[in-house]
């Protein structure tokens, strides 16, 4: 591993550690997303407590946390496997943020942002898959799980050389959703837009 690649990996983790959801909720004077709703600092929970505009802002910022370091590494000529490590570092920062007591989100938006440099066609396929599953079944976590399961296949169709790093990142996302998978089987997972007291932890 070159010193440049190591610097980019550290940068990706530190950038990922900036919790967009917490900061945007503070600016908008909303409750801390780690303490209300699903207790998850992600766009889905922010939508529950602050509406669509706040959620979109979180989604965009979380995606950029993945896009910026991976795109930077791509232009610096870092090889595909190490680009995958950079993407994983950004997602790990989002999931276990250094600056926010290691209590982060699920990493789906950051992973999607990390996939963007591979190609807008891949990004479009992933977004279309997520939206289709979310609209039909109304489960954000199910949409995320199906999307990341299909991501390596989509990547293989478009740019096969990135299939392995994408698959590595997808395994991390699936692991982070193990509680959601359990609740989906138990039919206890809250649906998108569902608001109720004592909300179970969602994606």
């Amino acid at each position: 591993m070159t010193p440049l690649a190591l610097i980019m990996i550290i940068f990706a983790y530190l950038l990922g550690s900036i919790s967009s959801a917490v900061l945007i909720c503070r600016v908008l004077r909303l409750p801390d997303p780690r303490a209300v709703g699903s207790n998850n600092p992600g766009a889905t929970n922010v939508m529950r407590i602050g509406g669509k505009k706040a959620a979109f802002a979180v989604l965009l910022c979380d995606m950029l946390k993945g896009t910026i370091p991976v795109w930077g590494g791509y232009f610096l000529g870092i090889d595909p496997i190490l680009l995958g490590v950079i993407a994983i570092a950004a997602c790990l920062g989002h999931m276990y943020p250094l600056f926010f007591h290691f209590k982060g989100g699920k990493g789906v938006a950051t992973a999607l942002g990390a996939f963007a440099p591979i190609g807008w066609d891949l990004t479009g396929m992933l977004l279309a898959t997520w939206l289709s599953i979310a609209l039909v079944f109304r489960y954000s976590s199910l949409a995320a799980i199906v999307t990341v399961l299909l991501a390596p296949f989509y990547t293989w169709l478009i740019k096969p050389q990135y299939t392995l790093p994408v698959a590595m990142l997808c395994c991390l996302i699936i692991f982070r959703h193990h509680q959601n998978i359990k609740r989906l089987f138990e039919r206890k997972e809250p649906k998108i837009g569902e608001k109720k007291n004592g909300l179970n932890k969602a994606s």
Side-chain angles (χ1 to χ4, degrees), residues 133-152:
I133 300 299
L135 288 172
V136 172
F137 297 101
R138 307 296 297 173
Y139 288 110
S140 174
S141 57
L142 179 63
I145 291 164
V146 172
T147 300
V148 298
L149 285 174
L150 290 173

Side-chain angles (χ1 to χ4, degrees), residues 17-187:
S17 290
I18 300 172
S19 181
S20 308
V22 174
L23 294 178
I24 288 172
C25 283
R26 286 179 183 174
V27 170
L28 298 177
R29 299 183 183 278
L30 296 170
D32 190 328
R34 297 169 297 178
V36 296
S38 65
N39 304 129
N40 183 59
T44 302
N45 194 34
V46 171
M47 183 168 66
R48 292 188 183 106
I49 63 179
K52 293 180 181 179
K53 291 182 179 179
F56 179 77
V58 172
L59 178 65
L60 179 61
C61 291
D62 284 349
M63 288 180 66
L64 287 174
K65 292 193 300 186
T67 301
I68 291 170
V70 173
W71 225 326
Y74 175 80
F75 282 113
L76 289 170
I78 295 174
D79 70 74
I81 296 297
L82 288 177
L83 285 178
V85 176
I86 291 170
I88 289 172
C91 287
L92 284 173
H94 179 79
M95 295 173 182
Y96 308 102
L98 177 66
F99 309 126
F100 293 86
H101 309 292
F102 300 100
K103 187 177 182 181
K106 299 295 174 65
V108 177
T110 304
L112 180 60
F115 294 151
I118 296 176
W120 292 114
D121 42 3
L122 174 62
T123 304
M125 293 168 73
L126 294 172
L127 285 172
T129 301
W130 191 94
L131 287 171
S132 298
I133 300 299
L135 288 172
V136 172
F137 297 101
R138 307 296 297 173
Y139 288 110
S140 174
S141 57
L142 179 63
I145 291 164
V146 172
T147 300
V148 298
L149 285 174
L150 290 173
F153 174 67
Y154 292 160
T155 306
W156 177 75
L157 292 176
I158 297 168
K159 289 188 178 178
Q161 67 270 31
Y162 292 101
T163 303
L164 180 58
V166 166
M168 291 162 54
L169 182 54
C170 289
C171 288
L172 176 63
I173 302 298
I174 293 295
F175 170 76
R176 196 72 170 90
H177 278 78
H178 67 280
Q179 291 292 341
N180 301 87
I181 294 170
K182 179 181 178 181
R183 285 192 295 274
L184 284 167
F185 277 110
E186 295 174 348
R187 298 186 178 182

Side-chain angles (χ1 to χ4, degrees), residues 189-202:
E189 184 78 341
K191 294 187 175 182
I192 295 172
E194 191 173 78
K195 293 183 179 180
K196 61 182 181 180
N197 294 328
L199 192 63
N200 290 322
K201 290 183 179 180

